[in-house]
């Protein structure tokens, strides 16, 4: 029955061990001179070291990925280069095969002149034995070459003669066309001069007619302007402004409004009303001044009364403060005597000086 371990006891034992370990760790941190005096935060340093290692690991991973990408790119470039070389080789082989099949030396135009088996292909001709490299048909070939050169020379002379004739004919046609163009230019110049002359005459006639029209219009405008000025002068002389018509002062906004540009002064009735209004204003102002003076006298009396009461109250407060200060001085004197007596008593009682045994009882625990 006693050997049965309860779950609560096990939990309590675990908690006790955890607190004991925590206390030991705390005591090591507190009583360690380096940590206590220098103030090194080991957790922060461990965290920084961990961050640096993670950063180095990330950089190493990135460098590895970059190196793998470079290797992959190199492999792709090598494959592409090999493929390009293979395509070039196949193309060259196809070109060589095409030349062997469709561009044989026998299909050339000048092959009959360089055919090494020309003598073998001639019928009825026997090759006499002779020295190696001996040309037996040299005379015949030279004769044919001279005849061919003579034919080419005659053909060249004929071509030169025809070219001279064609050049002479073209020069003649060019001269004829130049003469025709010059004649046509003279005719066009003559027609242009005639057109300019006709245009100048028409422009002159139009300018003369326009000048006459402008002169007549200016005269007519001057005549109309003089008539308008005379009419304006008559209207001004007979108008309401110079005639001083009192009805012109009334504005279109109502009878209570007046027009400032036509106002000529007040009528006798308006002057009488204005005088009465000024007298009424003077009387009202006089009553207002008297009321203001009475109000100021009343306020002055109230201020004097308030100042007298404040002075009495201030004297009373000063007297009360003086009494309180005297009582406080007496209390402070009694407290000073009591403090001196207590200090003297302590000096008489506590006469021992603390030694090493007194200080060794401290810092035995982290709490």
């Amino acid at each position: 029955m006693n050997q049965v371990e309860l779950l609560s006891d096990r939990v309590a034992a675990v908690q006790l061990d955890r607190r004991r370990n925590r206390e030991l760790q705390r005591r090591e941190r507190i009583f360690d001179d380096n940590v206590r005096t220098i103030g090194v935060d080991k957790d922060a340093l461990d965290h920084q070291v961990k961050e640096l290692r993670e950063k180095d690991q990330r950089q190493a991973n990135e460098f590895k990925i970059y190196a793998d990408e470079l290797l992959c790119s190199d492999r792709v470039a090598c494959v592409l280069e090999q493929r390009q070389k293979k395509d070039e080789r196949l193309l060259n082989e196809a070109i060589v095969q095409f030349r062997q099949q469709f561009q044989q030396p026998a299909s050339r135009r000048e092959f009959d002149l360089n055919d090494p088996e020309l003598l073998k292909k001639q019928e009825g001709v026997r090759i006499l034995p002779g020295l190696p490299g001996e040309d037996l048909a040299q005379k015949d070939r030279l004769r044919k070459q001279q005849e061919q050169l003579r034919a080419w020379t005659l053909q060249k002379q004929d071509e030169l003669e025809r070219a001279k004739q064609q050049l002479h004919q073209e020069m003649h046609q060019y001269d004829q066309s130049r003469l025709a163009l010059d004649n046509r230019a003279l005719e066009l110049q003559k027609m242009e001069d005639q057109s300019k002359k006709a245009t100048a005459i028409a422009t002159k006639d139009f300018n003369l007619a326009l000048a006459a029209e402008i002169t007549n219009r200016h005269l007519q405008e001057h005549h109309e302007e003089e008539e308008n000025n005379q009419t304006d002068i008559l209207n001004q002389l007979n108008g309401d402004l110079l005639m001083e018509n009192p009805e012109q002062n009334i504005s279109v906004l109502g009878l209570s409004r007046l027009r400032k540009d036509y106002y000529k002064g007040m009528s006798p009735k308006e002057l009488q009303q204005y005088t009465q209004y000024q007298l009424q204003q003077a009387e009202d102002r006089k009553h207002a001044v008297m009321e203001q003076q009475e109000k100021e006298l009343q306020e002055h009396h109230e201020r004097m009364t308030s100042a007298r009461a404040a002075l009495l109250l201030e004297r009373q407060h000063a007297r009360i403060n003086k009494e309180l200060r005297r009582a406080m001085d007496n209390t402070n004197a009694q407290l000073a005597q009591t403090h001196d007596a207590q200090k003297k008593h302590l000096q008489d009682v506590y006469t021992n000086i603390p030694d090493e045994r007194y200080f060794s009882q401290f810092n035995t625990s982290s709490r």
Side-chain angles (χ1 to χ4, degrees):
M1 187 67 180
N2 295 329
Q3 294 180 357
V4 177
E5 185 179 3
L6 298 177
L7 180 61
S8 59
D9 296 338
R10 187 182 303 172
V11 171
V14 171
Q15 292 179 355
L16 182 60
D17 293 338
R18 187 184 300 111
R19 286 198 298 270
R20 187 179 294 110
N21 294 330
R22 192 183 304 115
E23 180 66 22
L24 291 175
Q25 294 176 2
R26 186 170 183 273
R27 185 178 298 175
E28 290 178 358
R29 289 197 305 271
I30 291 176
F31 292 105
D32 190 357
D33 295 336
N34 295 327
V35 176
R36 188 178 66 255
T37 58
I38 300 175
V40 177
D41 191 356
K42 187 174 182 302
D43 296 336
L45 295 177
D46 294 339
H47 184 67
Q48 291 179 0
V49 172
K50 184 178 178 181
E51 289 182 351
L52 290 175
R53 290 178 179 175
E54 292 178 353
K55 183 178 179 181
D56 295 338
Q57 186 65 29
R58 286 198 303 271
Q59 291 179 355
N61 294 333
E62 292 177 358
F63 181 76
K64 183 177 179 182
I65 294 171
Y66 179 69
D68 294 339
E69 292 179 354
L70 286 179
L71 291 175
C72 183
S73 301
D74 292 339
R75 293 193 190 97
V76 173
C78 292
V79 171
L80 293 176
E81 185 178 2
Q82 292 177 0
R83 187 178 299 173
Q84 184 178 3
K85 290 181 179 179
K86 183 178 179 181
D87 294 339
E88 292 178 356
R89 181 173 55 80
L90 293 176
L91 180 61
N92 293 330
E93 291 178 357
I95 292 173
V96 172
Q97 186 178 3
F98 177 80
R99 289 176 179 175
Q100 291 177 357
Q101 292 179 0
F102 302 101
Q103 294 182 354
Q104 294 291 335
S107 62
R108 297 178 182 175
R109 185 176 58 182
E110 68 277 4
F111 180 72
D112 56 346
L113 300 176
N114 300 320
D115 189 3
E117 298 181 357
L118 178 62
L119 298 176
K120 295 181 180 181
K121 295 178 181 179
Q122 293 179 358
E123 297 180 359
V125 178
R126 293 181 179 272
I127 300 176
L128 297 176
L131 298 174
E134 183 179 2
D135 190 5
L136 300 178
Q138 182 180 4
K139 294 181 179 179
D140 190 10
R141 188 175 67 254
L142 292 175
R143 181 178 56 81
K144 289 180 179 180
Q145 289 178 356
Q146 290 177 357
E147 291 177 357
Q148 187 178 9
L149 183 60
R150 188 181 302 110
W152 285 353
T153 304
L154 294 175
Q155 184 180 359
K156 189 67 175 178
Q157 290 178 357
D158 294 338
E159 291 178 356
L160 291 174
E161 188 66 24
R162 285 196 300 270
K164 288 181 180 180
Q165 292 179 0
Q166 185 177 0
L167 180 61
H168 181 70
Q169 186 177 0
E170 291 177 355
M171 292 294 294
H172 182 68
Q173 291 178 358
Y174 176 73
D175 293 337
Q176 293 294 330
S177 62
R178 286 292 302 274
L179 291 174
L181 290 175
D182 292 340
N183 294 329
R184 181 60 179 170
L186 290 175
E187 292 178 359
L188 292 174
Q189 185 68 29
K190 188 175 180 180
M191 292 172 63
E192 185 179 0
D193 294 339
Q194 292 178 358
S195 176
K196 288 182 178 179
K197 186 176 180 181
T199 303
I201 293 172
T203 303
K204 181 179 178 181
D205 295 339
F206 176 76
N207 291 333
L208 291 175
L210 183 62
E213 182 181 358
I214 292 173
T215 303
N216 293 330
R217 187 168 65 250
H218 287 171
L219 292 174
Q220 185 177 0
E221 290 177 356
H222 181 68
H223 181 66
E224 292 177 356
E225 185 178 0
E226 288 183 352
E227 291 181 353
N228 293 331
N229 292 334
Q230 291 179 1
T231 304
D232 190 16
I233 291 171
L234 292 176
N235 291 332
Q236 292 291 337
L237 292 174
N238 297 324
D240 295 334
L241 180 62
L242 297 179
M243 297 299 292
E244 297 184 358
N245 186 7
E247 295 180 356
Q248 67 181 349
N249 297 335
I250 300 174
S251 175
V252 295
L253 300 176
L255 296 177
S256 61
R257 301 292 185 89
L258 297 177
R259 296 180 61 182
K260 297 180 181 179
D261 52 346
Y262 285 94
Y263 187 70
K264 297 297 181 180
M266 293 186 294
S267 61
K269 184 177 179 181
E270 292 176 349
L271 286 173
Q272 184 178 1
Q273 292 178 357
Y274 180 70
T275 304
Q276 292 178 359
Y277 178 72
Q278 284 185 338
L279 293 175
Q280 183 66 30
Q281 281 187 342
E283 190 70 22
D284 294 340
R285 193 180 299 109
K286 184 176 180 182
H287 287 298
V289 170
M290 292 177 65
E291 291 177 359
Q292 184 68 23
Q293 290 178 356
E294 292 178 357
K295 186 176 181 181
E296 289 178 355
L297 288 174
Q298 185 177 359
E299 291 178 355
H300 179 69
H301 180 68
E302 292 177 356
R303 286 197 298 271
M304 293 296 294
T305 305
S306 299
R308 190 177 297 107
L311 181 60
L312 294 175
L313 184 61
E314 185 178 359
R315 290 177 180 176
Q316 185 178 359
H317 286 171
R319 187 167 52 254
I320 293 172
N321 291 332
K322 187 175 181 181
E323 293 177 357
L324 291 175
R325 183 66 181 175
R326 188 181 298 110
M328 187 180 296
D329 292 340
N330 295 330
T331 303
N332 291 333
Q334 294 177 2
L335 289 175
Q337 293 176 1
T338 304
H339 183 266
D340 292 338
Q342 185 178 3
K343 184 177 180 181
K344 185 177 181 182
H345 175 70
L346 291 176
Q347 289 178 357
D348 295 336
V349 173
Y350 298 104
T351 58
N352 295 328
I353 299 174
D355 54 0
E356 187 67 25
R357 290 177 300 173
Y358 175 77
F359 293 104
S360 63
Q361 63 181 345
F362 300 103
N363 288 336
T364 59
S365 175
S366 62
R367 299 295 177 178

